[in-house]
Amino acid sequence: MAAPGAAQKPQTKPAQPSQVERGKYLAQAGDCIACHTVPGGKIFAGNRAMPTPFGTLYAPNITPDAHTGIGSWSADDFFKMMRTGRSKNGDLLYPAMPFASYTKVTRADSDAIYAYLRSVPAVRQASRKHELRFPYNNRSLLIGWRTLYFKEGEYVADKSKSSEWNRGAYLVQGLGHCAMCHTPINALGGSSQEREFQGGLIPMQNWYAPSLTSNKEAGLGTWEIQDIVDLLQKGVSQRGTVYGPMAEVTYNSLQHMTDADVKAMAVYLKSLPADKPVNADPASAPARANIGQMHAQGKRVYDAQCASCHGGDGRGMPPHYPPLKDNQSITMTSSVNPIRMVLNGGYPPGTKRNPMPYGMPPFAHAMSDGDVAAVVTYIRTAWGNRGAPVTAGEVSALRAATVE
C-alpha cells in the first residue's frame, strides 16, 4: 500500500483477536492481495508488477517486517497513508494505490486492517523500485494530479437513505474502490467525479469495465437484487457471469464478504442513476449497415461452436451458461469483452457458493480473425440484440492481448 519506512518497531498494544479477524475481513473487502501478492508468492510480500501507460509500478511489501515491510509503522502512520495518500516518510503515493477511495475508510476500519497486517508472517524482501518513464518518475508532479482528482475525507452518510444503502455506498466507494475500473480514465491517469461509474477501458489490461449507470451496458436498474448478489458473491447469476479482472475480484474479495454486506452493495449499485431506460422492443432497434454476409457467416460459426451451450435462440442455460440474447455485456458500445471471451475463453472463479464453475474454452487457436469477427457480430446483432458489427482488425488487435 505504501513504501516502508525506517526500521524501528513502533510501540503498540497487542491487537485483540476480534480486531485482527475484522481486519482480515476488511483487507479482503479491499482486495489488498490482488496488488501486494505475486501469484504463488508469500502473502503481502509485494513486488507484483503493475503495468501502466507511464511505466511499471511495483506494489510494496506490507508484511510486518521491520526493515522491508511496514513493521516500523504505527497505526497512526497507516491511517495517515489511507486518509491522505502519503507514505510514512511523507512521499506522495502513485494513484495505482487507490487512496482516492481508501480516504473514505473510517479510523476504526483502518486500525483493524493495520492490526491484521501486523499479524501475517513477516517477509524480508525489499520492494522493487518503480520503473516509470520521465517525467512521470518525478513525484512532485503528483501534486497537480491530486489537485485535479483527489478529495480527502471520510465517507459521509446520506441521511435521506437507509442504513443498508449507506453501508453499500461505503463499501463500493471506499474499500471496494469500484470506481477505479468502472470510471473512464483520461490521459493523465485520472477520472472525474462527474463521470463516476460510467465505464471505461482498463489501461494495459485490454478489458472493458462497463458503465454501472447505463442501462445499455451494466446498469442494474432492471436487475433483481438477488441476481446482483449472486453475480458479485458467486460469480454467476441468472443474468450473467463474471470474467476477466472481475473474476479475480470475486475470487479474492467478494465471495468472502457477508450476505448482508454484499446485499448492501447490491442495493447501492442498483440505485445508481441510469442515463436512459432500456429499450426492450427489438422492432425499434436502430438501423445498422448491411451486415448480411457477416451475419450469415457468424451464424454458421455459432451453430457449430456455441449453440450447444448458449442455445440456438441465445437464451443459454443460466446460471452455468449465460444468455446472449438481451445480454447487455454483449451489446455494449465497446466490443472488447465479447471478442476476448471468444479468443481467450473465460472461467468464472471457483467460489464457496459455486465451487465447480462451468467455463468457456478459448477459440483463438481454432478461429481466424474473420471467423471471430463474424460470430461476435452475430451474437451482438441476433435475437433483437442491438450491438454494432465487429471487424477483423479489431479482433487482430486483441489477439495478442496479455492473458493473466
Side-chain angles (χ1 to χ4, degrees):
M1 289 182 176
Q8 180 181 1
K9 278 197 172 186
Q11 298 296 316
T12 58
K13 295 180 181 179
Q16 295 296 316
S18 59
Q19 187 186 36
V20 172
E21 189 62 27
R22 175 69 177 163
K24 179 180 180 180
Y25 176 82
L26 294 167
Q28 288 174 326
D31 200 9
C32 303
I33 195 172
C35 292
H36 292 278
T37 304
V38 173
K42 296 180 178 178
I43 190 168
F44 300 137
N47 286 347
R48 184 166 186 176
M50 304 172 66
T52 77
F54 315 106
T56 301
L57 298 168
Y58 293 92
N61 181 343
I62 56 171
T63 73
D65 181 72
H67 295 277
T68 62
I70 60 170
S72 66
W73 289 43
S74 68
D76 287 342
D77 295 330
F78 188 81
F79 177 67
K80 181 185 78 170
M81 179 274 299
M82 293 281 280
R83 179 55 52 85
T84 69
R86 291 177 179 269
S87 186
K88 178 185 176 183
N89 62 8
D91 283 349
L92 298 175
L93 301 184
Y94 285 98
M97 158 64 181
F99 59 83
S101 298
Y102 288 172
T103 188
K104 298 177 184 290
V105 173
T106 65
R107 177 63 195 255
D109 282 354
S110 173
D111 286 352
I113 296 171
Y114 170 79
Y116 165 61
L117 292 177
R118 290 185 62 81
S119 77
V120 304
V123 178
R124 182 66 58 88
Q125 176 171 275
S127 300
R128 288 186 60 172
K129 292 184 178 180
H130 301 318
E131 299 171 357
L132 296 174
R133 299 190 306 277
F134 179 82
Y136 308 111
N137 55 358
N138 183 351
R139 284 184 186 264
S140 63
L141 294 179
L142 292 171
I143 295 173
W145 187 96
R146 291 164 65 98
T147 300
L148 293 170
Y149 306 115
F150 176 54
K151 181 179 180 182
E152 181 182 325
E154 185 174 320
Y155 174 77
V156 178
D158 184 339
K159 295 181 180 179
S160 70
K161 303 291 187 180
S162 68
S163 59
E164 182 177 49
W165 185 96
N166 276 291
R167 176 63 178 170
Y170 172 72
L171 290 168
V172 169
Q173 295 179 22
L175 284 171
H177 58 282
C178 305
M180 253 190 110
C181 290
H182 289 278
T183 301
I185 303 296
N186 61 29
L188 296 177
S191 54
S192 66
Q193 190 170 0
E194 291 75 19
R195 301 190 66 189
E196 193 171 42
F197 300 120
Q198 291 184 14
L201 194 67
I202 304 174
M204 311 302 291
Q205 292 193 35
N206 292 296
W207 284 98
Y208 181 80
S211 168
L212 301 179
T213 65
S214 171
N215 279 324
K216 290 180 64 179
E217 295 196 3
L220 304 173
T222 63
W223 286 47
E224 298 295 331
I225 289 292
Q226 190 58 52
D227 287 335
I228 304 173
V229 169
D230 287 344
L231 188 73
L232 296 176
Q233 195 174 47
K234 293 172 61 177
V236 297
S237 78
Q238 296 295 318
R239 296 291 296 266
T241 303
V242 297
Y243 293 116
M246 191 62 196
E248 186 177 13
V249 173
T250 294
Y251 180 77
N252 288 330
S253 177
L254 295 169
Q255 69 160 319
H256 302 291
M257 298 182 69
T258 64
D259 293 349
D261 274 351
V262 178
K263 182 172 181 285
M265 294 173 73
V267 167
Y268 171 71
L269 290 170
K270 184 175 170 66
S271 77
L272 291 175
D275 60 350
K276 59 183 67 176
V278 173
N279 182 352
D281 180 10
S284 62
R288 291 185 292 269
N290 182 6
I291 55 172
Q293 183 176 350
M294 181 175 282
H295 195 275
Q297 178 186 356
K299 185 178 189 308
R300 288 194 297 271
V301 175
Y302 181 87
D303 289 343
Q305 304 287 357
C306 315
S308 60
C309 292
H310 294 286
D313 58 3
R315 296 183 185 276
M317 290 180 278
H320 301 304
Y321 301 118
L324 304 178
K325 173 181 168 59
D326 298 328
N327 186 328
Q328 291 156 227
S329 68
I330 298 295
T331 59
M332 293 184 295
T333 301
S334 171
S335 60
V336 166
N337 294 357
I339 291 173
R340 290 207 62 179
M341 286 299 301
V342 173
L343 286 172
N344 307 129
Y347 294 83
T351 59
K352 297 174 183 178
R353 301 195 176 200
N354 187 34
M356 298 181 69
Y358 290 75
M360 175 173 164
F363 289 94
H365 65 290
M367 289 190 193
S368 67
D369 291 346
D371 281 345
V372 174
V375 76
V376 174
T377 294
Y378 177 72
I379 65 175
R380 281 165 63 84
T381 57
W383 317 299
N385 286 349
R386 296 173 181 77
V390 172
T391 68
E394 293 174 273
V395 175
S396 179
L398 290 169
R399 189 176 282 275
T402 300
V403 179
E404 182 178 340

